[in-house]
């Protein structure tokens, strides 16, 4: 059936929420956009006049599309070159979705998105719908075709898995900037000691190059190993400038609600380094350098005046 303008408007009103759900489920902005577009095609083909609650119908269709995607993604990620990390979203990106509560902010943090990779598709769906969007278990059960009791059990299990990861400390934008400034000052000092002091003893550093940009296949573990890696990463070298096509601009920013370092060459974002901050220090440094996962960040970066860089690297 052909959609009326009113039907299209009803879908578009739901698009921001659908994109926010899909991003949390998939960890990829591009895949989230595709899932939402496929949901629109299903909406277009449906007899919408007989859909009593469009929001529930759209959420069910989208969630099941994402579940199918997650199942196939597991197979693809087994063949992924190196470490797999989510696609980072810079501050202000509408796909980050609601951020009114601590639970909503936590659900889209880079640290939690990485932890969600440990969950089964159903666990991930229940966790996201309940924790980030406060869906009642009755509605989640209808979306996933399970019982309400099963939804509650899955949620408690998923929440425990996520809670077993390192606890994150909520910080405001000013504090985030200070943390990035301290981190970069230590990383560019040429010494490991200042970095070790900022890191937790069991800190890790993970990079995702997707086989397209050099990135170590195995994570660095422990404060000293991470500090040595970071010291070398920021050490000037002509070969590094040649590799990235110039002298990178280094900016302090926020990605997924946490402190981040954004590296830009010629207006193109070539790296986003997300810092997981805990009460004990920086517990993880997750660097996204896969160009396929930085296209949206580049568009967002170009849309706003980001000011002068802190410095030029290499």
């Amino acid at each position: 059936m052909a959609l009326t303008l009113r039907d299209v408007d009803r879908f578009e009103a739901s698009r921001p929420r659908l994109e926010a759900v899909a991003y949390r489920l998939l960890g990829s902005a591009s895949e989230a956009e595709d899932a939402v577009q496929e949901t629109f095609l299903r909406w277009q083909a449906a007899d919408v006049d007989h859909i009593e609650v469009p929001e529930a119908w759209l959420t069910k269709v989208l969630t099941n599309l994402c579940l199918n995607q997650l199942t196939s993604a597991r197979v693809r990620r087994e063949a992924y070159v190196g470490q797999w990390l989510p696609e980072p979203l810079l501050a202000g990106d509408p796909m980050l979705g609601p951020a009114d509560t601590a639970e909503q902010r936590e659900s889209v943090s880079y640290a939690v998105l990485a932890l969600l990779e440990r969950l089964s598709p159903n666990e991930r769906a229940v966790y996201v719908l309940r924790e980030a969007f406060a869906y009642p278990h009755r509605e989640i059960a209808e979306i996933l075709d399970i019982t309400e009791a099963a939804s509650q059990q899955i949620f408690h299990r998923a929440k425990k898995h996520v809670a077993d990861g390192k606890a994150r400390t909520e910080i405001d934008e000013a504090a985030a900037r200070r943390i990035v400034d301290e981190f970069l000052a230590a990383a560019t000092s040429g010494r490991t000691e200042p970095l070790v002091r900022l890191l937790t003893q069991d800190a890790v550093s993970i990079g995702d190059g997707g086989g397209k940009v050099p990135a170590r296949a195995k994570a660095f573990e422990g404060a000293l190993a991470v500090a040595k890696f970071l010291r070398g990463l920021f050490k000037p070298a002509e070969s590094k400038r040649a590799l990235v096509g110039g002298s990178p601009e280094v900016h302090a920013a926020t990605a997924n609600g946490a402190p981040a370092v954004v590296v830009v060459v010629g207006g193109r974002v070539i790296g986003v380094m997300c810092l997981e901050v805990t009460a004990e220090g920086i517990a993880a440094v997750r660097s996204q350098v896969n160009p396929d996962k930085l296209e949206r960040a580049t568009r967002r970066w170009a849309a706003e005046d980001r000011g002068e860089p802190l410095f030029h690297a290499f």
Side-chain angles (χ1 to χ4, degrees):
M1 294 180 65
L3 291 182
T4 66
L5 185 59
R6 177 175 174 270
D7 295 330
V8 174
D9 287 344
R10 289 161 77 189
F11 181 87
E12 290 303 322
S14 295
R15 184 184 290 274
R17 179 183 56 81
L18 294 174
E19 287 189 344
V21 171
Y23 172 68
R24 284 166 168 81
L25 287 175
L26 300 173
S28 164
S30 58
E31 290 180 4
E33 289 174 337
D34 291 344
V36 172
Q37 187 57 28
E38 180 61 31
T39 302
F40 175 73
L41 295 177
R42 303 285 179 94
W43 173 253
Q44 192 175 36
D47 185 356
V48 297
D49 289 338
H50 289 84
I51 296 175
E52 294 183 7
V53 186
E55 180 178 314
W57 188 92
L58 291 169
T59 304
K60 183 179 178 71
V61 170
L62 175 80
T63 301
N64 282 286
L65 286 169
C66 289
L67 287 175
N68 292 337
Q69 182 80 357
L70 283 170
T71 301
S72 61
R74 290 192 166 223
V75 176
R76 293 199 312 275
R77 287 173 193 170
E78 287 176 2
Y80 193 81
V81 179
Q83 300 280 340
W84 186 96
L85 289 174
E87 181 175 344
L89 297 182
L90 301 179
D93 193 312
M95 197 175 279
L96 288 169
D100 301 322
T101 67
E103 289 77 15
Q104 289 171 338
R105 292 188 292 273
E106 182 78 3
S107 71
V108 80
S109 73
Y110 212 61
V112 167
L113 287 177
L115 287 170
L116 291 182
E117 287 297 303
R118 303 177 183 179
L119 305 183
S120 70
N122 257 24
E123 286 174 336
R124 189 162 183 160
V126 172
Y127 180 86
V128 166
L129 292 172
R130 180 63 180 167
E131 191 78 350
F133 296 92
Y135 275 82
H137 284 292
R138 174 181 53 78
E139 291 185 25
I140 296 173
E142 291 173 0
I143 290 169
L144 297 177
D145 293 323
I146 58 178
T147 65
E148 189 171 345
S151 176
Q152 292 171 339
Q153 291 171 355
I154 291 171
F155 175 69
H156 289 306
R157 186 166 65 241
K159 194 166 184 178
K160 184 179 184 304
H161 284 318
V162 174
D164 285 343
K166 288 185 176 67
R168 177 172 165 267
T169 303
E170 279 210 71
I171 53 176
D172 59 27
E173 192 169 340
R177 174 60 186 265
R178 288 196 300 273
I179 289 168
V180 173
D181 286 347
E182 289 180 25
F183 172 77
L184 288 173
T188 56
S189 68
R191 298 182 296 125
T192 57
E193 294 81 3
L195 275 167
V196 170
R197 286 196 294 269
L198 288 177
L199 300 166
T200 62
Q201 282 192 331
D202 57 350
V204 297
S205 178
I206 304 167
D208 178 350
K212 299 185 177 184
V213 173
R216 193 169 188 259
K218 187 178 179 182
F220 290 94
E221 299 181 353
L224 185 57
V226 172
K228 287 181 177 178
F229 162 69
L230 292 169
R231 182 190 64 187
L233 182 66
F234 283 95
K235 186 176 181 180
E238 183 60 38
S239 59
K240 294 178 183 177
R241 287 191 289 273
L243 180 65
V244 300
S247 182
E249 299 176 350
V250 179
H251 295 258
T254 304
N256 294 74
V261 177
V262 177
V263 184
V264 182
V265 173
R268 178 173 55 91
V269 175
I270 65 165
V272 177
M273 184 178 285
C274 299
L275 308 181
E276 181 184 345
V277 180
T278 70
E280 291 76 35
I282 298 172
V285 180
R286 298 182 177 91
S287 301
Q288 184 55 261
V289 293
N290 183 344
D292 294 343
K293 297 182 183 182
L294 295 172
E295 292 178 0
R296 186 180 179 95
T298 294
R299 294 196 301 271
R300 290 290 308 173
W301 192 263
E304 297 181 24
D305 180 9
R306 302 290 178 168
E308 293 298 314
L310 296 174
F311 61 89
H312 285 77
F314 310 153

